[in-house]
């Protein structure tokens, strides 16, 4: 059985006098979209893309890549996984002295890593030590692990705070490097910033917040922030991010001309009218 997918309704109505005019409208829209895309292709509108562990500057055909989530960030994630590993091992009946020794050896070795201080590692070490020293650990179930929440939560929060600080610092450094690479105040003012997010709602929100703060510090304009920072769930490539910018620019042109605001097309018009419509149909 073939899956049912989203249908392209741009050619509708199929028949009647409006069909031809609607087709011509979409043809003209394609022309404007093509000329707008050309502005990105010739480098006059740079696009900065937050993509997986990297930020990419796309200027014309050139691409400059900056790593944001490097070894230290992924070490923090792995540390956070240690108590979860112990819990799942116990839950699956795979616990043994080997797992315990493996964890304690890893925690001992990581203390020699120059990226970490004793204060960084102390919360997770204390949490894991409490976990493995418990007589309940080899037989642990969900109810039992809740007893360790008070120990585990501070450890997780500490690692999350370190990861967030690292990402914010690395992002700011990349943004300064990008500004230097553009080497032109006009290009910097034309630059758009896109967050390619995953399937989770508001994923990579920290990256979006950094872009918004960066633009606001430079422009002191909330409208510029809203205009130039784009968030695209399920975007997976730089080209897809650039197409989102093209769509935004075309929508700005139409919105300014017909709705008196360049941002008006960046809204769900039916959704805004929806509350009154929903109320009306349920009263009928």
């Amino acid at each position: 059985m073939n899956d049912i997918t989203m249908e392209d309704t741009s050619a509708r109505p199929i028949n009647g006098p409006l069909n031809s005019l609607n087709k011509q409208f979409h043809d003209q829209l394609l022309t404007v979209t093509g000329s707008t895309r050309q502005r990105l292709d010739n480098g006059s509108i740079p696009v900065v893309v937050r993509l997986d562990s990297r930020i990419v500057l796309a200027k014309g055909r050139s691409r400059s890549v900056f790593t944001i989530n490097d070894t230290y960030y992924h070490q923090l994630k792995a540390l956070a996984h240690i108590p979860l590993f112990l819990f799942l091992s116990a839950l699956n009946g795979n616990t043994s002295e080997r797992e315990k020794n493996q964890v304690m050896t890893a925690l001992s070795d990581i203390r020699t890593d120059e990226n970490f201080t004793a204060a960084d590692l102390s919360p997770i070490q204390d949490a894991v030590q409490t976990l493995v020293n418990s007589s309940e650990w080899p037989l642990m179930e969900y109810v039992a692990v809740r007893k360790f929440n008070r120990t585990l939560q501070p450890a997780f929060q500490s690692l999350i705070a370190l990861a967030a600080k690292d990402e914010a610092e690395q992002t700011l450094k990349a943004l300064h490097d990008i500004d230097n690479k553009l080497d032109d105040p006009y290009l910097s003012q034309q630059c758009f910033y896109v967050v390619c997010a995953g399937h989770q709602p508001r994923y990579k929100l920290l990256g979006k917040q950094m872009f918004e703060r960066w633009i606001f510090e430079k422009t002191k304009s909330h409208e510029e922030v809203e205009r130039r920072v784009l968030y695209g769930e399920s975007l997976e490539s730089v080209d897809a991010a650039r197409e989102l910018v093209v769509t935004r620019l075309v929508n700005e042109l139409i919105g300014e001309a017909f709705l008196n605001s360049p941002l008006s097309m960046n809204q769900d018009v039916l959704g805004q009218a929806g509350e009154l419509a929903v109320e009306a149909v349920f009263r009928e």
Side-chain angles (χ1 to χ4, degrees), residues 224-260:
E224 277 297 287
V225 170
E226 184 177 357
R227 175 177 171 263
R228 291 167 55 196
V229 178
L230 286 68
Y231 181 90
E233 289 182 1
S234 299
L235 292 186
E236 296 183 347
S237 70
V238 171
D239 286 345
R242 294 174 79 241
E243 281 301 301
L244 187 61
V245 173
V246 170
T247 300
R248 168 60 63 85
L249 289 167
V250 173
N251 284 345
E252 282 185 0
L253 179 67
I254 295 173
E256 185 72 59
F258 290 95
L259 298 172
N260 201 34

Side-chain angles (χ1 to χ4, degrees), residues 50 68-69 73 162-172 204 206-207 210:
R50 181 66 164 93
I68 304 302
N69 303 131
Y73 175 88
L162 289 171
K165 182 174 183 291
D166 178 64
E167 180 165 326
E169 290 174 347
Q170 296 304 318
T171 300
L172 185 60
K204 285 195 174 70
L206 176 56
M210 286 296 297

Side-chain angles (χ1 to χ4, degrees), residues 197-206 208 212 231 233:
H199 63 279
Q200 303 97 322
R202 311 317 296 163
Y203 187 61
K204 285 195 174 70
L205 186 57
L206 176 56
K208 181 173 183 285
E212 290 174 337
Y231 181 90
E233 289 182 1

Side-chain angles (χ1 to χ4, degrees), residues 33 36 40 53 59 104 108-109 123 126 128 147 166 201 208 228 241 278:
T33 300
T36 303
L40 273 72
S53 295
K59 180 177 176 291
M104 301 313 294
S108 177
D109 291 346
D126 291 345
V128 170
K147 295 171 62 175
D166 178 64
K208 181 173 183 285
R228 291 167 55 196
V278 170

